[in-house]
């Protein structure tokens, strides 16, 4: 029931149902990538150069929190995992279902909020999110939920906008400045004047405390740096900015056994 959803989830559902058509082409391109060809984030950084995925995925139960068009889960399936995807947007899931059929890779897709997943405790070995729940859901709700869903020693891997980037992007969502435009202290909920969406971005100490309070050990924070000739279709960051400061960050954590 839409009217029982938290306000930010309801707003993000409406926006993502509206934006889904713009993400079809990227979904199609990303679904075609075979093991070893996967690329991450707005700069298309090769998995082969950053090694974000565990190398022992065979037989693991995985959940993608905010799976969108489902390509990350498709990559996991091709590497031997048993994925499940959950997403807040029925329109995004419609693309995911079509691409599943086209590629002959079927896995369960749930329409729902990654902050309250309708699945039992300790069902998964890996929870993953690339710009999904990781930025669109409230970390104070989705991190405890990821902890609940994971088995002891289960892994959590999520990709977010760089913390510094979120301090440098103007309210207009134009290109990031080389100056800090808003306070670091207190960062959590972000809204932009041009649309109804709600994002969440935390400072480093808050991320570490939140993860540890929910039973995770932080194993790595990978600050992604694009190659000099990398390109992006997103307007909010230039290659000069992203070569100087981390525009994308990947947290890797493991649930204490
Ligand atoms: C940029 S896409 C990322 C997914 C995937 N990497 C892709 O590009 O298709 C963001 C996705 O997060 C989903 N999302 C936003 N809030 C969510 C929530 N609370 N629970 C689950 N999914 C959510 C959106 O519906 C959207 O499909």
């Amino acid at each position: 029931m839409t009217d029982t959803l938290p306000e930010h989830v309801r707003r993000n559902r409406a926006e993502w149902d509206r934006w889904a058509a713009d993400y079809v082409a990227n979904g199609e391109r990303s679904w075609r990538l075979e093991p070893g060809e996967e690329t991450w984030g707005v700069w298309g950084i090769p998995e082969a150069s950053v090694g974000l995925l565990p190398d022992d995925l065979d037989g693991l139960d995985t959940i993608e929190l905010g799976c969108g068009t489902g390509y990350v889960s498709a990559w996991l399936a091709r590497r031997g995992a048993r994925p499940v995807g959950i997403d807040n947007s029925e329109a995004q899931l419609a693309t995911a279902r079509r691409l599943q059929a086209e590629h002959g890779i079927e896995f369960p897709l749930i329409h729902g909020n990654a902050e309250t997943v309708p699945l039992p405790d300790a069902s998964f070995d890996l929870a993953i999110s690339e710009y999904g729940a990781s930025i669109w859901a409230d970390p104070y709700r989705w991190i405890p939920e990821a902890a609940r869903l994971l088995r002891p020693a289960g892994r959590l891997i999520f990709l977010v906008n760089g913390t510094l980037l979120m301090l440098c992007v103007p309210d207009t969502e134009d290109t990031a400045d080389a100056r800090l435009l808003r306070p670091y202290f207190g960062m959590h909920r972000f809204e932009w004047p041009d649309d109804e969406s709600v994002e969440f971005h935390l400072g480093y100490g808050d991320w570490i405390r939140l993860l540890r309070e929910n039973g995770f050990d932080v194993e790595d924070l990978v600050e992604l740096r694009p190659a000099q000739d990398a390109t992006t279709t997103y307007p909010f960051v230039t290659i000069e900015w992203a070569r100087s400061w981390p525009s994308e960050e990947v947290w890797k954590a493991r649930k204490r056994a």
Side-chain angles (χ1 to χ4, degrees), residues 26-81:
N26 184 55
E28 290 173 343
R29 184 193 66 79
S30 300
W31 264 83
R32 285 196 289 271
L33 301 175
E34 295 289 333
E37 297 176 347
E38 303 96 334
T39 63
W40 296 102
V42 303
W43 297 105
I45 295 180
E47 165 65 13
S49 68
V50 284
L52 300 183
L53 295 175
D55 49 20
D56 53 347
L57 280 161
D58 200 33
L60 295 193
D61 293 308
T62 67
I63 183 157
E64 186 179 359
L65 301 168
C67 64
T69 58
Y71 56 80
V72 172
S73 288
W75 300 343
L76 300 178
R78 286 200 184 100
R79 287 172 176 254

Side-chain angles (χ1 to χ4, degrees), residues 8-9 12-13 16-17 23 26-27 30 64-72 86-90 92-93 112-115 129-138 142 198 234:
H8 63 279
V9 178
N12 286 338
R13 178 169 291 184
W16 274 100
D17 281 342
Y23 285 79
N26 184 55
S30 300
E64 186 179 359
L65 301 168
C67 64
T69 58
Y71 56 80
V72 172
I86 181 166
D87 199 277
N88 190 30
S89 161
E90 188 55 57
Q92 286 274 81
L93 290 176
N113 174 13
E115 299 167 350
S129 185
E130 184 208 30
Y131 287 127
S134 53
I135 69 162
W136 301 99
D138 188 336
W142 80 263
V198 182
Y234 292 87

Side-chain angles (χ1 to χ4, degrees), residues 1-20:
M1 291 268 294
T2 305
D3 55 6
T4 60
L5 293 172
E7 173 249 13
H8 63 279
V9 178
R10 188 169 33 79
R11 285 169 56 172
N12 286 338
R13 178 169 291 184
E15 289 300 59
W16 274 100
D17 281 342
R18 196 163 66 84
W19 293 335

Side-chain angles (χ1 to χ4, degrees), residues 7-8 11-12 135-136 166 169-173 182 188-201:
E7 173 249 13
H8 63 279
R11 285 169 56 172
N12 286 338
I135 69 162
W136 301 99
M166 299 319 298
V169 173
D171 283 342
T172 52
E173 289 189 82
R182 57 179 63 84
H188 175 219
R189 179 179 164 125
F190 283 62
E191 295 180 44
W192 309 98
D194 286 348
D195 63 59
E196 288 297 308
S197 69
V198 182
E199 293 174 28
F200 297 90
H201 303 278

